[in-house]
Amino acid sequence: MKLSDAPQSASTEASSNLLSGAEIVCHAMKAEGVEFVFGYPGGAVLVIYDEIHKQNNFKHVLVRHEQAAVHAADAYARATGRPGVALVTSGPGVTNAVTGIATAFMDSIPMVIITGQVPTYAIGQDAFQECDTVGITRPCVKHNFLVKDVGELAETIKKAFFIATTGRPGPVVVDIPKDVSMAKAPFHYPATVEMRSYRPTNKGHSGQIKKAMQMLLSADRPMIYVGGGAILGNASAEVTALVRMLGYPCTNTLMGLGAYPSTDKQFVGMLGMHGTVEANMAMQNCDVLIAIGARFDDRVIGNPTHFNAGNPTRKIIHIDIDPSSISKRVKVDVPIVGNIKDVLDDLISQLQNAEQKPGNIAAWWKQIEEWRAKDCLKFKQSDSIIKPQYVVQKLWEVTKGDAYVTSDVGQHQMWAAQYYGFDKPRRWINSGGLGTMGVGLPYAMGCKFAFPDADVACITGEGSIQMNIQELSTCKQYGLPIKVILLNNRYLGMVRQWQEFFHGNRHAESYMEALPDFVKLAEAYGHVGMKVEKPGDVEGALRDAFAMKDRLVFLDFQTDQTENVFPMVPGGKGISEMILAEDL
Amino acid sequence: MRHILSLLLENEAGALSRVAGLFSARGYNIESLTVAPTEDATLSRMTIVTTGSDDVIEQITKQVNKLVDVVKIVDLNEGKHVERELMLVKLRAVGKDRDELKRTADIFRARVIDLTEKTYVIELTGTGDKLDAFLEAIDRALVLETVRTGACGLGRGEWIVKAS
């Protein structure tokens, strides 16, 4: 269809029942209960924007870069559990969005990304702002669609939400050529969709659950390992009930923080590359391990050969909604495929009805307490220089442990994970899988839109924050009183740390020269900036910042340039092969 | 070990690249891949020959199954199956080679489906081994072109791969 052939505005009665593709998009958003669409306009989506302008069912948030639109929608999904929605134009709009999409994909975040495309007749002609969106995004989406017929648009959007939010969640891209946005079709939004090729398993196999229960009850050295799947599956209450019922130790992955309350005594801390001694040692030495919505990835168990060889008799139970996550890196003994909440409900009720009770594991707890006594997260406080860990601890105190905390990627991310005790799910928003620098500020925006009355803090570094600093302008436009906690050590800290350990301490390109004056920068964007240089001023600055309820405050904490993240498992090593601060 | 995977997938634009892209993205081998629509026009049947340890094949099967366009995947090595591959070979056929090639083709139950004064095109169907054997039996210097479809297969007897 040529542009000039596009149906014109309704002039006959018959065509008045027809909606344009752009109107269908807006109606579909309404039907899905979408609150916010994060986006950026451009040629291929102008028609959709025109319809957005005319409606009041959802609010459009104008970002300053498409990557931030996807990150903000992603954070909205992480914080609320509802799918995030982003809208970008064709070509560079899409390629800018790809980092955001890949970030969401790696962490299994339910999202629908609507992308504009050049008109169908121009596809393949190297048209202005054309790119093969479906081809470019294919490896980093759960699924994607190119809609060539406006008659299929409504059902395709329904499918996109269905696929994004069910099974193992993930981002779904719907690519809409401009002529499809303009063409008209009757609007019918299906209440449900059936797809013969997509039927996720929800209910776990009860025989397997029974086996798991018996294995758990006969354990001498049990360990409960909980990942992001428990949060995505809204199963924190079930996880907490199970852990308390059994009286066993529990660890959360970086993505699982908050699934089990961090301040509880059965919690042994985060595990993995920067996990606690007690979590990693218990993981390595347990005799029965139950993995709940976790995937044994390289940053969590380190070298799988070491993990297995060091403890070949360990029995593993693995609950996951995605069968391909099971026995991928580590062979398991009792696989249970299903929705975590449903599986844990079954497991808990089987446990309640079982005659056998959990065995006495006092000896195991004694061992764990010995590991815990190492106090591996202690750090040397200073009177003269700000320790980054101290800032995070004070943030936790000032916000009473109840803020939405986003982070970027690097040392500050690990300190945030280690020192902010997350007691609730969906409070810790970070890029675990892809490790995308630059997510922190747009993540904080997504949280603030979702929960305008909650405290939202973005813990960041001077490297990461500059990867999406332009969003300070978005924050100004929408009056988002985020608190940016910049742990400024004038280094790409994690890079420098690896260089110190593994590259002869040669700081190749890890020093950030010519940093801006962040206070002035924040002020230039219309926000409040504060520079904090003394440990004694940290708490006061935080209190002042959070007291400014209606202002974004950018706190530039000048922190110790030499501080490193401990414990640390070097890449490729086993998780019990940790380097501790006290070893150095 | 060699495995022959049989897939039913939605006959949609891009379904093939989803499967092929998955193999390259995850570093799996594809020895051959063949695909065409089935008697149900909404479905395509794909046969992939791949190699890998049991663990790798299990992962491949799970990952392929996760693709939204894939309706079903079966590892034909899990049961008894038949498989065939088609090869067309263009040979230089002049002088005494002409009769010799024809005789060899007959032994392999191959057919000459096109000929000129100087060439034969021979069609041969069988397992990959048989096609290899034919090529080894003739003078390699006479081979002008070969094209092979890659294997396709079906389970023996009552074993049926269906959409539902």
Side-chain angles (χ1 to χ4, degrees), chain A residues 537-555:
Chain A
D537 296 337
V538 169
E539 184 173 345
L542 285 168
R543 290 200 186 280
D544 289 349
F546 280 93
M548 285 184 250
K549 289 285 176 201
D550 56 349
R551 297 300 299 274
L552 184 149
V553 183
F554 194 117
L555 293 139

Side-chain angles (χ1 to χ4, degrees), chain A residues 105 134 138-139 141-145 148 159 163 168 195-199 322-329 331, chain B residues 9-12 14 17-18 21 25-26 40 42-43 55 58-59 62-63 65-71 163-164:
Chain A
F105 180 65
V134 167
R138 188 179 299 122
V141 292
K142 184 170 174 189
H143 197 57
N144 58 19
F145 297 95
K148 285 187 164 173
K159 279 184 184 170
I163 293 168
R168 180 177 180 174
M195 296 174 75
R196 64 178 169 185
S197 61
Y198 177 71
R199 286 182 183 141
D322 177 5
S324 72
S325 281
I326 296 177
S327 293
K328 183 171 69 179
R329 294 192 81 238
K331 262 276 187 237
Chain B
L9 60 163
E10 297 290 350
N11 188 7
E12 299 264 358
S17 47
R18 289 183 207 282
R26 292 194 182 264
D40 174 350
T42 65
L43 286 173
D55 290 351
E58 183 185 331
Q59 261 302 305
K62 286 172 167 177
Q63 293 291 351
N65 216 7
K66 210 161 82 169
L67 294 173
V68 169
D69 281 340
V70 172
V71 180
S164 54

Side-chain angles (χ1 to χ4, degrees), chain A residues 234-250:
Chain A
N234 296 314
S236 298
E238 289 75 10
V239 165
T240 307
L242 178 76
V243 175
R244 297 221 165 115
M245 199 171 171
L246 290 169
Y248 293 170
C250 175

